[in-house]
């Protein structure tokens, strides 16, 4: 029986996991770096352990320190969240060796699915459709030219390890191939420590559709419907929704059964995501994410299933608490990732102190956040402020509710991408559901509309900045303090 879980992550996902622990009556342990010593997640946990300097390699990526913290606090399990060590097979092995349950799939599955070439080969053996491309690591330019000629241009070069779109490069012709290969290898080596890459056909106007699956240790695997993740910038997801406007009930069943086939083929345990490229009615396996996804809340909002709590129950040895026929979709959910970014400076991170913060609320609104007023967003980690999720009885209501929630969101002190999300929610092609992963490239007026929104909101921004001005606040406190002292002095004089 698990009665204490260490959460090997930070920010909103750490709090999300700790909330599940609290509801299950399980104690939580936070690990934090020097930069996060005053972070909300470190205060929310029942216990907190300092594990190193701000640099991730010395803290959140330090396997030994995290395992040592779990042993020292008596945690029987570790939940890795997403990012950092969540898909690291060596981390899972270290947990196993220390007698600690890793809340996720086995190290064998992590190792297999973490290598995109190995995963492609395994899926082909399982009879799962994959995007046409190389079935081996691309080591040199002549080899790359031969594969690209067979596949047909344009092609996309992808790192064998890692994820999140990091290192992907497109070559539209042989003349662009060498630069794309070199660029992808360099980025892969820098981000994942492995320069290996492979080639796939670049499918025009695709949609990025992923299926949430869950499996237990008794061989049961189910799918919890699909998520639409096509609104992206540089292969990074920005808006997600469940279900997808492009997927019919028949196609949902067909793709869901393939996703379950993937899970059963590798004996998948815990929560995972099977990602597909979908175009012109055809779909291809792209990759499997062996962890809880950033966008998991939209699935929770529509199915009513708490994915993290189910992960914990599975880790305790319990079977899945539901069967495939129990999964019913209710309404529509949309998630916007709210990041500290400057939309007018190519979305570069905008770190600093939040001088004012008020999140939206009301019916059908959920905010997963790890920040608060006067919190300083550190520069060395992902600049996500929160995930804003809304639910509606249908897609139209969900979009209207997201517009309202974005209107209510007040963040003062840093630039955010909220104006971008407002522009997306008002875009005619987004509203109609006519879009692909190239949405940002195709919608040439989107950024202009965003700039118009920002221009219209300047007076409000200035007023909010004035309200939350630190100098004025301190001066007001000093004035009140001085007035109080004067009253006390006057009162003392009157008594004499």
């Amino acid at each position: 029986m698990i009665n204490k879980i260490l959460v090997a992550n930070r920010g909103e996902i750490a709090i999300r996991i700790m909330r599940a622990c609290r509801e299950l009556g399980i104690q939580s342990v936070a690990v934090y770096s020097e930069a996060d010593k005053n972070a909300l997640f470190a205060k929310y946990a029942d216990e907190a352990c300092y594990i190193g300097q701000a640099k991730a390699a010395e803290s959140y990526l330090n396997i030994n320190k995290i395992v040592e913290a779990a042993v020292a606090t008596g945690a029987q399990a570790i939940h890795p969240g997403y990012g950092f060590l969540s898909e690291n097979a060596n981390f899972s092995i270290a947990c196993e060796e220390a007698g600690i349950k890793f809340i996720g799939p086995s190290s064998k599955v992590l190792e297999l699915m973490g290598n995109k070439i190995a995963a492609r080969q395994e899926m082909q053996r399982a009879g799962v459709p994959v995007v046409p491309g190389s079935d081996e690591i691309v080591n040199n330019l002549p080899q790359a030219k031969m594969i690209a000629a067979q596949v047909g241009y344009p092609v996309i070069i992808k790192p064998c390890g890692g994820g999140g779109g990091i290192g992907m490069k497109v070559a539209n012709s042989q003349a662009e191939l060498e630069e794309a290969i070199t660029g992808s290898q360099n980025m892969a080596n820098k981000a994942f420590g492995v320069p290996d890459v492979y080639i796939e056909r670049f499918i025009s106007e695709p949609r990025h559709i992923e299926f949430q699956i869950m499996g237990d240790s008794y061989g049961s695997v189910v799918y919890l419907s699909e998520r639409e993740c096509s609104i992206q910038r540089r292969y990074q997801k920005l808006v997600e929704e469940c279900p997808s406007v492009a997927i019919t009930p028949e196609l949902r069943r067909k793709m869901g059964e393939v996703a379950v086939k993937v899970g059963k083929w590798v004996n998948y345990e815990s929560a995972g995501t099977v990602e597909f490229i979908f175009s012109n009615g055809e779909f291809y396996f792209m990759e499997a994410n062996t962890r809880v996804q950033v966008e998991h809340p939209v699935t929770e909002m529509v199915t009513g299933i708490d994915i993290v709590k189910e992960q914990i129950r599975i880790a305790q040895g319990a079977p899945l608490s539901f069967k495939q026929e129990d999964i019913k979709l209710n309404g529509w959910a949309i998630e916007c990732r709210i990041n500290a970014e400057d939309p007018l400076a190519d979305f570069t991170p905008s770190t600093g102190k939040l001088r004012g913060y008020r999140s939206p609320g009301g019916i059908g609104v959920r905010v997963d956040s790890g920040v608060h007023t006067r919190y300083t967003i550190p520069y060395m980690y992902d600049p996500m402020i929160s995930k804003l999720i809304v639910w509606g009885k249908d897609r139209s209501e969900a979009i209207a509710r997201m517009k309202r929630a974005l209107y209510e969101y007040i963040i003062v002190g840093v630039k955010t991408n909220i104006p971008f999300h407002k522009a997306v929610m008002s875009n005619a092609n987004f509203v109609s559901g006519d879009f692909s992963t190239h949405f940002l490239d195709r919608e040439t007026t989107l950024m202009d509309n965003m700039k118009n929104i920002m221009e219209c909101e300047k007076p409000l921004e200035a007023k909010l900045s004035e309200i939350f001005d630190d100098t004025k606040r301190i001066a007001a406190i000093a004035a009140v303090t001085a007035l109080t002292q004067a009253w006390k002095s006057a009162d003392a004089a009157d008594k004499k």
Side-chain angles (χ1 to χ4, degrees), residues 402-473:
M402 180 59 80
K403 287 181 178 179
R404 187 264 294 173
L406 289 166
Y407 170 81
E408 291 181 6
Y409 218 146
I410 296 173
I411 301 174
V412 179
V414 298
K415 301 289 185 181
T416 76
N417 63 349
I418 288 177
F420 167 82
H421 287 300
K422 289 178 178 178
V424 171
M425 292 300 128
S426 298
N427 178 273
N429 285 331
F430 175 79
V431 172
S432 69
D434 182 17
F435 55 85
S436 72
T437 56
H438 304 308
F439 175 76
L440 265 65
D441 297 326
R442 303 287 189 267
E443 296 301 309
T444 56
T445 62
L446 185 71
M447 298 307 289
D448 288 335
N449 293 339
M450 182 194 72
K451 289 175 184 177
N452 290 336
I453 289 170
M454 295 177 74
E455 189 66 29
C456 291
E457 292 181 347
K458 271 186 177 179
L460 175 61
E461 186 178 330
K463 188 65 177 176
L464 289 171
S465 184
E466 182 180 327
I467 290 171
F468 292 104
D469 185 88
D470 282 350
T471 304
K472 292 182 179 180
R473 182 184 65 85

Side-chain angles (χ1 to χ4, degrees), residues 98-128:
I100 297 168
K101 176 64 178 179
F102 178 85
I103 300 180
S106 68
S107 56
K108 181 180 177 181
V109 171
L110 288 172
E111 187 173 14
L112 170 65
M113 304 311 285
N115 185 298
K116 304 302 186 291
I117 283 288
R120 276 177 58 88
Q121 294 171 344
E122 196 67 25
M123 291 305 101
Q124 286 176 308
R125 281 193 283 271
V128 172

Side-chain angles (χ1 to χ4, degrees), residues 237-436:
K237 302 167 190 173
L238 296 170
V239 179
E240 301 100 348
E241 51 185 310
C242 177
S244 167
V245 70
I247 304 301
T248 63
E250 181 181 354
L251 188 55
R252 177 176 300 118
R253 178 188 57 77
K254 185 177 179 180
M255 294 177 74
E257 288 175 353
V258 172
V260 167
K261 185 176 185 178
V262 171
K264 288 189 174 182
W265 184 265
V266 298
N267 296 316
Y268 199 89
E269 180 182 328
S270 195
T273 302
V274 180
E275 304 200 350
F276 297 103
I277 284 290
F278 175 74
S279 180
N280 298 320
E282 299 292 328
F283 64 92
Y284 305 94
F285 171 85
M286 183 166 56
E287 63 182 21
N289 293 126
T290 51
R291 52 172 166 78
V292 65
Q293 291 278 84
V294 176
E295 58 271 21
H296 77 275
V298 291
T299 301
E300 293 181 328
M301 297 286 271
V302 171
T303 62
I305 292 171
D306 188 319
I307 292 172
V308 175
K309 284 168 69 172
E310 195 69 19
Q311 278 188 296
I312 295 171
R313 292 191 185 101
I314 290 169
Q316 290 176 318
L320 281 170
S321 63
F322 46 81
K323 294 181 172 61
Q324 190 63 62
E325 56 266 28
D326 299 326
I327 309 301
K328 308 295 181 185
L329 304 188
N330 176 32
W332 210 282
I334 300 175
E335 173 181 294
C336 287
R337 301 190 188 192
I338 308 302
N339 298 329
E341 299 172 331
D342 186 349
L344 299 182
D346 198 28
F347 292 89
T348 55
S350 173
T351 56
K353 182 180 286 187
L354 300 182
R355 294 190 287 109
Y357 182 82
R358 186 183 187 278
S359 58
I363 188 169
V365 177
R366 166 178 169 179
V367 180
D368 281 17
S369 172
V371 306
H372 54 81
T373 301
R374 312 200 69 72
Y375 172 76
T376 297
I377 297 175
Y379 68 87
M380 62 287 296
Y381 308 125
D382 189 297
M384 182 185 287
I385 293 174
S386 69
K387 299 182 309 198
L388 174 59
I389 310 105
V390 301
W391 176 91
K393 65 179 182 296
D394 53 32
R395 191 168 186 265
S396 295
E397 184 176 66
I399 291 173
R401 187 158 285 158
M402 180 59 80
K403 287 181 178 179
R404 187 264 294 173
L406 289 166
Y407 170 81
E408 291 181 6
Y409 218 146
I410 296 173
I411 301 174
V412 179
V414 298
K415 301 289 185 181
T416 76
N417 63 349
I418 288 177
F420 167 82
H421 287 300
K422 289 178 178 178
V424 171
M425 292 300 128
S426 298
N427 178 273
N429 285 331
F430 175 79
V431 172
S432 69
D434 182 17
F435 55 85
S436 72

